[in-house]
Amino acid sequence: MGSREEIVAAAAKVMREQGYAHATTKVIARTAGYSEAMLYKHFRDKTDLFLSVMAEELPALGAALGELTANPGQAPLRDNLVRIARLGLAFYLEGFPIAVSVFSSRELLRSHRERLGEHGPHVLLKGVVDYLRAEQELGRVKADTDVEAAAALVLGACFQQAFLATFEEREPADRADRLADVLLAGL
C-alpha cells in the first residue's frame, strides 16, 4: 500500500472516531505514519481528503448505481432494489459517523456544501432516480411511478436505519428485503 492509500485509510479511521469537523490533517497524517507535508502532496485540503474517504473507503453505492443504470433489466428488479437498499444502508452506516459533525455549525456546513458542489449527497439520489428511470423505460417500473419519490423513500429509509443504529450503538436489522418488497409493490 502506498502513502496515499494509507493516508485515506487513516483519515477514514480518524474521521469515524472524531467526525469530520474535529479530524485534523495533523492527526490524520500522524495516524498514517506520515508528515502533514506528505498528506498535502496527495490532497489539496481536508475536504479533498474527505471526498477520497467517501469514494474509496465506503461501500461503493455510487459505482453499483452506475452499473445498474448502464445495464437495466439484467437482473430481477427486486434483486436490484435489495442490492441498492443493502449498499445504501452500509454506505450510511459507514459514512454517518464521518459526516455528522459537518452539521455542528451552519458555517462549517455552508463551507462544506460549497466545496462539495457536484459531489454532494444529491449524487446518490440522482443515481437511484436514473436507475429507476432506466427500468421505467424498459417497462419494469410503471410509467406513472414518481421515481424521484421512490428513490427518496429507499435512500431515506436506509439513512434512517443507519441513524438509529448509530444512535443506539447497535447493528442494524437487515431490512433490505422488506424495504425492496414494499417499494416494489408501488412500482
Side-chain angles (χ1 to χ4, degrees):
M1 189 186 314
S3 59
R4 184 189 183 286
E5 292 82 13
E6 291 168 340
I7 292 169
V8 171
K13 178 184 185 309
V14 172
M15 288 178 183
R16 275 189 195 99
E17 293 169 0
Q18 300 179 18
Y20 174 84
H22 300 291
T24 66
T25 54
K26 183 180 231 168
V27 170
I28 292 167
R30 185 176 41 218
T31 301
Y34 294 100
S35 69
E36 202 170 6
M38 175 62 84
L39 184 146
Y40 285 113
K41 284 184 180 181
H42 296 283
F43 303 97
R44 201 174 45 192
D45 56 21
K46 190 167 75 169
T47 301
D48 189 29
L49 185 52
F50 171 81
L51 290 171
S52 294
V53 167
M54 297 301 276
E56 299 169 30
E57 289 289 313
L58 299 184
L61 177 57
L65 291 171
E67 174 191 320
L68 289 171
T69 302
N71 303 295
Q74 298 298 310
L77 182 58
R78 182 185 185 279
D79 292 355
N80 291 341
L81 293 174
V82 169
R83 182 177 177 201
I84 289 168
R86 282 208 174 105
L87 284 169
L89 181 58
F91 178 85
Y92 289 123
L93 276 170
E94 292 290 316
F96 196 75
I98 293 171
V100 70
S101 67
V102 169
F103 292 88
S104 64
S105 83
R106 287 183 189 263
E107 182 180 323
L108 178 60
L109 178 59
R110 188 175 307 111
S111 169
H112 193 66
R113 184 176 51 242
E114 289 169 2
R115 284 293 317 278
L116 288 179
E118 66 185 53
H119 301 289
H122 62 279
V123 171
L124 295 177
L125 183 63
K126 182 183 180 318
V128 177
V129 168
D130 290 348
Y131 164 67
L132 291 174
R133 278 204 180 110
E135 291 288 9
Q136 201 172 39
E137 289 172 11
L138 292 176
R140 293 180 8 139
V141 170
K142 292 185 275 186
D144 64 345
T145 297
D146 183 340
V147 294
E148 290 178 5
L153 286 171
V154 71
L155 290 181
C158 293
F159 183 85
Q160 191 252 4
Q161 290 301 304
F163 170 79
L164 289 175
T166 301
F167 180 78
E168 296 169 357
E169 295 184 311
R170 64 165 172 80
E171 288 295 315
D174 185 356
R175 293 193 169 97
D177 288 301
R178 291 172 41 206
L179 179 59
D181 288 339
V182 169
L183 191 59
L184 193 57
L187 297 177

